[in-house]
Amino acid sequence: MESGRTEPSRTELSRREQIYRVAGRLFSERGYHATSMRDLAAELGIQGGSLYAHISGKEELLSEIVQRAARQFDEALFSLRTEDLTPQERLREAMSRHLTVIAENMETATVFFHEWKHLSQEPLAAVITWRDGIEAFYRELIAEGVEAGVYRTGLNIKMAANLVLSSVNWAYTWYRPGGQLSPQDVAASFEQMLLSGLEQPVPARPMQEEN
Amino acid sequence: MESGRTEPSRTELSRREQIYRVAGRLFSERGYHATSMRDLAAELGIQGGSLYAHISGKEELLSEIVQRAARQFDEALFSLRTEDLTPQERLREAMSRHLTVIAENMETATVFFHEWKHLSQEPLAAVITWRDGIEAFYRELIAEGVEAGVYRTGLNIKMAANLVLSSVNWAYTWYRPGGQLSPQDVAASFEQMLLSGLEQPVPARPMQEEN
DNA sequence: CCTACCGATCGGTAGG
DNA sequence: CCTACCGATCGGTAGG
């Protein structure tokens, strides 16, 4: 359990993590380009140039933050594909986990949604591929439910997936982690509204006796 | 119909408009801080310093673009409050107009949603007030429908408004103006799913004869 | 609208 | 991790 001499020391490891964490916060608050390496260093109590002992450059920070966010979504969601659940359970669970990732990483999520366009070619392409994958994932969830007969037959699967993704992704703009609502509460509320609709259901015919 | 000498000439007016328009495009593509005044000038075929004959500074550009976006939403939506419509019609119409504003001004909308945080105190406060007003507007639309008995009685009005706003706002990330879907198509699809739900309605009892 | 310039600040490096 | 520095670029201005 003792760490060897040639590995990065514990303090250096945590320093690098500190840098990523503070960078995530500053990028989310001020934006990537409006955050200078000296701003970042000052928050850590070191000089600007000292950062380069731990990281290779500014874009590595953005790239790492965005990739971590994508990985968190992947880890939370893709295992769902093989779990034995009804379509509604699967959708509810996906929304719940998706919202949880955002709610527990509001800063990272904000950077993810706002700054990914500033990545260089390679990580940029990776993000676009990732996004396509997530969209396909939700379309599959919906299509599965339509095939099982639990969702409306005429449903536009692409638009339905779009609607679900809108509802969970937009949470990064309004969710407040310390508040009364847990991510699960939000997911339950959204899912209930999305599945059953906002409208008072019109009974097929006037209510008769309760069975 | 002839313009007087003391008014800004037609070319100067259109120059200022050109600046706003190009700035909107560049800010949406690269972000506010990653767009330099020289980038902007180059797109217009002039020197960087020449911009300051037409505008007071970089932030004026952002402020103007954001304020115009807010005004467009206001003009499209707030007249709805006094129009004589059923709650569902009113909600549908609000979503349709909201989406239309975004769809017809994708660049401005992108700047609006991504860069408003970089405004200075005064315009920043105005945007926050605007956002609160829009949220209140949608909550009113929903509450109205609940009171009229057309939306579910137990509906969480705040969450429902949140869901509606998510669906329309997120469109700035995926809508493609040249595509097959008009904003009205999207609004109709979203509204139908939101009101009636994704789920196949379970009839209260097995289908009997029609009517 | 241009030329020429300002001070400030940027990301990053050398050498210790 | 610091000092001292690099060239590049920033938003903006003076004077024409």
Side-chain angles (χ1 to χ4, degrees), chain B residues 24-155:
Chain B
R25 178 165 57 79
L26 294 186
F27 290 174
S28 77
E29 288 169 1
R30 312 180 189 180
Y32 174 67
H33 280 105
T35 305
S36 76
M37 296 302 273
R38 280 161 183 79
D39 290 341
L40 177 54
E43 291 274 328
L44 292 156
I46 60 177
Q47 296 300 312
S50 304
L51 287 168
Y52 295 85
H54 302 97
I55 55 156
S56 68
K58 192 180 183 184
E59 185 174 339
E60 184 205 315
L61 294 175
L62 179 58
S63 175
E64 181 71 19
I65 290 166
V66 168
Q67 281 176 45
R68 285 185 183 194
R71 211 178 308 134
Q72 281 179 308
F73 283 115
D74 288 349
E75 285 167 5
L77 294 177
F78 288 158
S79 65
L80 263 178
R81 274 204 272 232
T82 53
E83 289 180 22
D84 190 33
L85 297 167
T86 68
Q88 295 102 322
E89 285 168 345
R90 209 185 298 276
L91 181 60
R92 177 199 292 269
E93 190 61 22
M95 290 177 64
S96 178
R97 294 186 191 181
H98 196 119
L99 278 163
T100 301
V101 169
I102 291 174
E104 291 180 353
N105 306 276
M106 288 290 280
E107 289 163 359
T108 304
T110 301
V111 176
F112 183 71
F113 288 128
H114 275 192
E115 313 290 350
W116 63 272
K117 281 187 182 177
H118 299 127
L119 288 168
S120 59
Q121 212 185 10
E122 196 184 351
L124 181 66
V127 173
I128 291 171
T129 300
W130 175 89
R131 191 192 55 192
D132 292 346
I134 281 287
E135 286 171 7
F137 170 76
Y138 276 99
R139 283 198 300 272
E140 278 170 37
L141 288 195
I142 308 277
E144 203 177 285
V146 172
E147 278 161 33
V150 292
Y151 298 155
R152 290 173 186 276
T153 315
L155 207 60

Side-chain angles (χ1 to χ4, degrees), chain A residues 28-31 33-34 88 91 110 113-118 131 135 142 149-153 155-156 159-174 176 181 185-187 189-190 192-201 203-205 207-211, chain B residues 28-31 33-34 88 91 110 113-118 131 135 142 149-153 155-156 159-174 176 181 185-187 189-190 192-201 203-205 207-211:
Chain A
S28 76
E29 288 168 1
R30 314 180 188 179
H33 279 106
Q88 295 103 320
L91 182 59
T110 301
F113 288 128
H114 275 192
E115 313 291 347
W116 64 270
K117 281 188 182 174
H118 299 126
R131 191 192 54 191
E135 286 172 7
I142 309 275
V150 292
Y151 299 156
R152 291 173 185 277
T153 315
L155 207 59
N156 183 330
M159 291 301 280
N162 239 330
L163 181 59
V164 171
L165 267 166
S166 303
S167 70
V168 290
N169 281 340
W170 188 250
Y172 87 93
T173 68
W174 64 267
R176 292 294 163 257
L181 290 167
D185 291 336
V186 176
S189 178
F190 276 3
Q192 206 269 327
M193 291 189 282
L194 284 173
L195 289 188
S196 306
L198 305 180
E199 238 168 18
Q200 195 77 259
R205 53 195 65 254
M207 198 76 91
Q208 299 169 11
E209 76 284 350
E210 299 246 338
N211 184 16
Chain B
S28 77
E29 288 169 1
R30 312 180 189 180
H33 280 105
Q88 295 102 322
L91 181 60
T110 301
F113 288 128
H114 275 192
E115 313 290 350
W116 63 272
K117 281 187 182 177
H118 299 127
R131 191 192 55 192
E135 286 171 7
I142 308 277
V150 292
Y151 298 155
R152 290 173 186 276
T153 315
L155 207 60
N156 183 329
M159 291 301 281
N162 239 331
L163 180 59
V164 171
L165 267 166
S166 302
S167 71
V168 290
N169 281 341
W170 189 250
Y172 87 92
T173 67
W174 64 267
R176 292 293 163 257
L181 290 167
D185 291 336
V186 176
S189 178
F190 276 2
Q192 207 268 327
M193 291 189 281
L194 283 174
L195 289 188
S196 306
L198 305 180
E199 237 168 20
Q200 195 78 258
R205 51 193 69 254
M207 200 75 94
Q208 300 169 14
E209 76 284 351
E210 298 254 333
N211 190 19

